[in-house]
Amino acid sequence: MSDTISFRQEIANLLYASEGEPLNTCIQCGTCSGTCPVAPYMDYTPRQIIALINQGKKEEVLQSNTFWYCASCYHCTVRCPQDINITDLMYALKRYSIWKGQHKEGLIGPTFSEAFVKMIVRGGRSFEPVLAPSYIFSFGMRELLLEVQGATELLLKGRLPLLPPRIKRLDNFKRMLGRIIPMGGLE
Ligand code: SF4
Ligand code: SF4
């Protein structure tokens, strides 16, 4: 028997074990795509993404914007006649994409997510100035200036720390994280 597992099985393994093999039960009815408010902006609709995963089309899936555009609204999940948790699937694809370092170029989502996870792993807390460069330059000049103005006001009022905060017992926190997420090259 081969030691390598298929792309479809890798993604299925990232979903909750208690849900069995949800991707197998998709009947391609399209309810999720018809329900999704973001579908018109996605390279592939949620229904198409499931079909591509089941066909093992890893490159097409990872190079799409679909899961990065998902707004986590859960409309698809509550309406799926097969009770497939499509929202969780979108989260699983984001994790997989970051883990493998494969994603479509030019999207804010992967850069933001990677910066966020690295920051949490290092200090245990979110720190806006570290996150801002991952998206702030995609705004127009006016928005950029407004963001800088807002940050300056927060800083002057002592609402924005100068240095990234760190939680207590950071080593314990890192050990816990190491058990639940594949760290890859994130540390
Ligand atoms: S609504 Fe459910 S069963 Fe229908 S295509 Fe979407 S995931 Fe598949
Ligand atoms: S959870 Fe994501 S994929 Fe599902 S309907 Fe909302 S935006 Fe679309």
Side-chain angles (χ1 to χ4, degrees):
M1 198 167 66
S2 169
D3 284 342
T4 57
I5 61 171
S6 68
F7 173 57
R8 198 204 70 78
Q9 193 59 52
E10 279 188 298
I11 298 303
N13 288 351
L14 288 174
L15 301 174
Y16 291 118
S18 59
E19 294 184 16
E21 290 273 356
L23 298 179
N24 281 347
T25 65
C26 174
I27 56 173
Q28 289 288 292
C29 67
T31 304
C32 49
S33 304
T35 294
C36 176
V38 199
Y41 308 101
M42 291 171 164
D43 291 332
Y44 299 107
T45 64
R47 178 193 68 76
Q48 288 172 323
I49 277 291
I50 291 176
L52 287 169
I53 293 170
N54 282 335
Q55 291 163 23
K57 305 267 182 149
K58 183 174 177 177
E59 290 305 313
E60 284 86 342
V61 172
L62 293 184
Q63 288 304 316
S64 79
N65 66 11
T66 299
F67 43 100
W68 294 111
Y69 275 29
C70 171
S72 310
C73 68
Y74 285 86
H75 276 190
C76 52
T77 299
V78 297
R79 292 195 176 150
C80 173
Q82 297 294 90
D83 288 333
I84 298 173
N85 194 330
I86 303 143
T87 316
D88 265 6
L89 169 65
M90 297 296 174
Y91 277 120
L93 288 170
K94 285 176 190 169
R95 294 199 303 276
Y96 185 87
S97 169
I98 293 286
W99 177 28
K100 297 290 180 181
Q102 279 182 265
H103 52 74
K104 184 174 183 171
E105 291 300 316
L107 296 175
I108 293 174
T111 315
F112 182 89
S113 297
E114 202 164 327
F116 182 80
V117 173
K118 278 182 179 170
M119 183 181 58
I120 295 299
V121 167
R122 284 179 190 144
R125 286 228 173 113
S126 174
F127 183 53
E128 194 68 23
V130 171
L131 285 176
S134 63
Y135 62 86
I136 203 166
F137 297 111
S138 62
F139 295 160
M141 185 52 75
R142 186 172 172 276
E143 293 294 325
L144 177 63
L145 291 174
L146 283 173
E147 288 285 321
V148 171
Q149 185 187 350
T152 308
E153 284 170 14
L154 286 173
L155 204 60
L156 292 175
K157 288 181 179 166
R159 306 297 295 174
L160 194 63
L162 275 174
L163 295 172
R166 281 176 167 251
I167 60 168
K168 292 177 183 168
R169 295 188 284 278
L170 188 57
D171 285 344
N172 289 352
F173 177 67
K174 284 187 179 183
R175 265 198 299 279
M176 183 187 74
L177 280 185
R179 287 183 185 172
I180 58 175
I181 58 172
M183 304 292 269
L186 286 174
E187 274 194 292

